Amino acid sequence: MAREKPIEVAPGVMFTAWTYNDRIPGPTLRANEGDRLRITLVNNSAHAHTIHFHGLHAAEVDGVAGIGLGLIQPGGQAVYEFDAEPFGVHLYHCHVTPLAAHIAKGLYGAFVIDPKGARAEADELVMVMNGFDTNFDRSNELYAVNTIPFAYMGEPVKVTVGELVRIYLVNILEYDLINSFHVHGNFFDWYPTGTSPRPAEHTDTVMLCQGQRGILEMTFPRQGRFMFHAHQSEFAELGWMGFFEAGCGGTVSTECERNR
C-alpha cells in the first residue's frame, strides 16, 4: 500500500513521507530464484505511484507511465506479476516523475532473490542506505542506513565471533552521487549485485552510485565494538554510522578468548 505518513526520522524531526506499507524503507521482498511473484499495489495516497522492480520482467509490469499497468492513480490498485530472476540483491522503487521527489520521500525497498543452490548459512542483515531532505532544498540534512540516523550507535548490531555475517547492501540515496560502506578492524568479500557466487574483491570499503547494491560477507575474529559508516565524513557525521558488537556467544571458544 502506498500512502503519506509523517515519520520521526530524528528526535523531534518529523518528515512527511510517502511510504510503502507505512514504512521507510518499504518491506524487504524475498523470493527463491524462479518463484512466481504477485505483488498488489493499493494506492491510498493523493498522488499517482508505481512500483518498478530491478530484475527481469515483461514491459507490461515495468512500473513506468504509458506502458502496461502504467501509473496507479489515487484510489486505484494493480497487480505486478513476474518470475523472480536473476538471483541476487535488487531493489524496487516508485518510477513516477519527478522521480527524485518520489524516491527522496521514501518509496523504495530491498528485493532479495535467493539462488537455487542455497547460500551458506549466515547471520543476515539488510541495510538500505538512505537520507532525508528535511527542509526540501534538494539537499540532505540527515543520512542513515535503514532510515534512523545513528540508530546502531546506541544499539549496536550484535554478531558472534567466528560466525559468517551476510549483509544485503542497497544504496537508494537521493541528491548525492556516491554513497559508501566501510567497516573498521575487518575486511569482507564483496559480491556486486549478488549475481555471482564468486566475490569480486576482498576489501573494507565499497563505493556505490544510486541503485547499486551488493552482498558483503565477513566474520569477526575478535570481540569488541567495530564501527561501520559511510566513508564520506559529512554523511557519517550526519547520521550514517553505527557499531557491530562482536561477542563470543553462548559457548566461549578458545580462539575467541585468545582474541579478546
Side-chain angles (χ1 to χ4, degrees):
M1 177 178 64
R3 72 174 181 178
E4 291 86 9
K5 180 183 179 181
I7 291 180
E8 189 173 22
V9 294
V13 179
M14 300 302 296
F15 182 77
T16 304
W18 296 355
T19 70
Y20 291 125
N21 285 19
D22 289 336
R23 52 174 288 178
I24 301 175
T28 296
L29 303 179
R30 189 162 193 174
N32 293 317
E33 182 183 10
D35 283 353
R36 187 68 172 176
L37 302 180
R38 295 181 185 89
I39 298 162
T40 300
L41 172 63
V42 178
N43 188 1
N44 284 345
S45 80
H47 306 273
H49 295 304
T50 69
I51 307 178
H52 166 66
F53 297 89
H54 286 225
L56 304 180
H57 50 251
E60 288 75 13
V61 291
D62 196 40
V64 298
I67 299 175
L69 298 176
L71 302 184
I72 313 307
Q73 299 296 331
Q77 68 178 57
V79 178
Y80 296 86
E81 185 170 347
F82 56 93
D83 294 334
E85 55 182 340
F87 70 82
V89 55
H90 310 302
L91 68 152
Y92 63 90
H93 57 84
C94 185
H95 212 294
V96 175
T97 56
L99 186 56
H102 285 248
I103 291 178
K105 282 184 168 289
L107 288 169
Y108 50 77
F111 176 31
V112 177
I113 301 177
D114 294 315
K116 292 179 180 178
R119 300 184 190 277
E121 185 175 344
D123 187 359
E124 295 190 331
L125 307 90
V126 172
M127 291 189 177
V128 177
M129 302 189 293
N130 55 0
F132 294 93
D133 172 18
T134 58
N135 63 5
F136 310 108
D137 65 351
R138 296 179 67 86
S139 177
N140 294 307
E141 284 68 52
L142 298 171
Y143 296 86
V145 54
N146 297 340
T147 296
I148 305 301
F150 301 114
Y152 302 117
M153 295 292 285
E155 297 185 19
V157 178
K158 296 185 183 297
V159 297
T160 301
V161 170
E163 293 190 1
L164 183 65
V165 175
R166 178 178 298 119
I167 297 172
Y168 298 94
L169 184 70
V170 175
N171 180 35
I172 194 62
L173 181 65
E174 191 57 80
Y175 303 134
D176 290 280
L177 296 179
I178 302 290
N179 205 341
S180 60
F181 178 99
H182 169 62
V183 64
H184 286 204
N186 209 344
F187 268 53
F188 52 83
D189 286 333
W190 176 242
Y191 301 80
T193 319
T195 50
S196 171
R198 293 176 295 278
E201 62 178 323
H202 190 60
T203 184
D204 64 358
T205 306
V206 289
M207 311 295 288
L208 300 93
C209 294
Q210 188 194 75
Q212 285 191 294
R213 65 273 187 194
I215 297 173
L216 60 89
E217 294 184 344
M218 59 184 163
T219 59
F220 288 82
R222 298 174 177 85
Q223 291 188 85
R225 286 194 173 188
F226 298 94
M227 183 173 279
F228 64 96
H229 58 84
H231 219 296
Q232 288 97 323
S233 299
E234 177 188 8
F235 295 7
E237 291 170 355
L238 291 174
W240 181 174
M241 61 165 52
F243 282 108
F244 292 106
E245 185 170 301
C248 285
T251 302
V252 179
S253 67
T254 302
E255 179 184 3
C256 189
E257 282 293 296
R258 186 171 58 249
N259 289 322
R260 282 182 181 272

